[in-house]
Amino acid sequence: MTKIEQHFLDRNMELEKRFKDNKITNSEYLKIQILNDDEYLYSGILDEIRAEEVRLRSLKTCKKYLLLHPDDLDIRFILGRMFLRHGQSDQAVNWFEECIHKGFISPKIYAWYFECMYQMGQFKKLREAAALHFEEINEFKQVFQPDVFEVIRIWAGQTIDTEQESGSDENTGHSDSRVFTAVLKTEKA
């Protein structure tokens, strides 16, 4: 753990040196810092107090960077995910809704937007949003992991062609998708 911690500290020191030596622009500095902090936060080595410090610093850096580059989808995604991980689920949902409304869309933004609503227990809103945006999401189908796309398809109320699904068991005629759909229909979500 000490080696991993030192790796992140060394990267931050190198980044600061490059910025002070005018080898990178302010925008590059901010973005690299955000990406480094994001990796650091999800490394699994930080205690709660240190994670909170890094998260707060990174939230400020994201906002500052997005004032300069509002169209950066990666940083928009990271900011929304940080809101959620920071326990600000309402703010995360609002952030992702604002992104989608303004046309800043990506598979990550949609997936985490739905994740926010799921974690908050807003199942009706989740179904409505998945149905509303399903055509756009379908364009990203190849980018999503198959199981994630299938879950979104189910939440959107789309039918599943079980004959074309790869999870079909020739002996029973069942598919993983059909079983999963049956399980979801029995839940009271």
Side-chain angles (χ1 to χ4, degrees), residues 10 13-15 19 41 50 57-59 65 73-74 79 103 108-109 114 129-130 135-136 139 144 149 156-157 176 183:
D10 289 345
M13 288 173 34
E14 172 65 22
L15 177 62
F19 179 64
L41 281 166
R50 183 69 180 128
R57 179 184 72 212
S58 196
L59 281 169
Y65 177 83
L73 293 176
D74 290 331
L79 179 58
K108 290 179 187 178
I109 286 175
F114 297 147
E135 284 185 38
E136 294 169 52
E139 293 176 22
F144 284 106
F149 181 77
D176 296 338
V183 170

Side-chain angles (χ1 to χ4, degrees), residues 77 105-113 140-141 143-144 152:
F77 156 70
I105 56 173
S106 74
K108 290 179 187 178
I109 286 175
Y110 276 123
W112 280 79
Y113 171 51
F140 296 123
K141 179 180 179 178
V143 178
F144 284 106
I152 293 171

Side-chain angles (χ1 to χ4, degrees), residues 128-188:
E128 290 169 354
L132 177 66
H133 299 291
F134 188 74
E135 284 185 38
E136 294 169 52
I137 293 165
N138 198 37
E139 293 176 22
F140 296 123
K141 179 180 179 178
Q142 301 304 328
V143 178
F144 284 106
Q145 294 178 0
D147 56 339
V148 172
F149 181 77
E150 289 305 313
V151 169
I152 293 171
R153 183 193 319 224
I154 290 166
W155 280 108
Q158 300 293 312
T159 59
I160 298 173
D161 183 3
T162 57
E163 290 181 22
Q164 292 183 5
E165 297 299 323
S166 62
S168 187
D169 182 343
E170 293 178 22
N171 296 329
T172 65
H174 292 103
S175 74
D176 296 338
S177 298
R178 192 176 323 151
V179 171
F180 186 65
T181 304
V183 170
L184 277 182
K185 286 181 181 178
T186 61
E187 290 182 338
K188 295 185 178 189

Side-chain angles (χ1 to χ4, degrees), residues 1-39:
M1 283 179 49
T2 303
K3 281 181 132 178
I4 296 170
E5 179 83 23
Q6 190 62 47
H7 169 74
F8 285 107
L9 293 174
D10 289 345
R11 280 179 30 185
N12 275 338
M13 288 173 34
E14 172 65 22
L15 177 62
E16 287 177 24
K17 183 178 180 346
R18 289 176 62 205
F19 179 64
K20 286 178 183 174
D21 293 344
N22 294 317
K23 293 184 179 178
I24 57 174
T25 66
N26 183 51
S27 292
E28 291 170 322
Y29 172 74
L30 293 172
K31 185 167 184 171
I32 295 168
Q33 186 178 30
I34 293 164
L35 296 173
N36 192 47
D37 284 350
D38 187 57
E39 188 177 334

Side-chain angles (χ1 to χ4, degrees), residues 41 45-55 85:
L41 281 166
I45 64 168
L46 298 178
D47 61 42
E48 286 299 317
I49 294 170
R50 183 69 180 128
E52 183 71 13
E53 291 170 0
V54 173
R55 195 175 293 116
R85 298 284 193 210

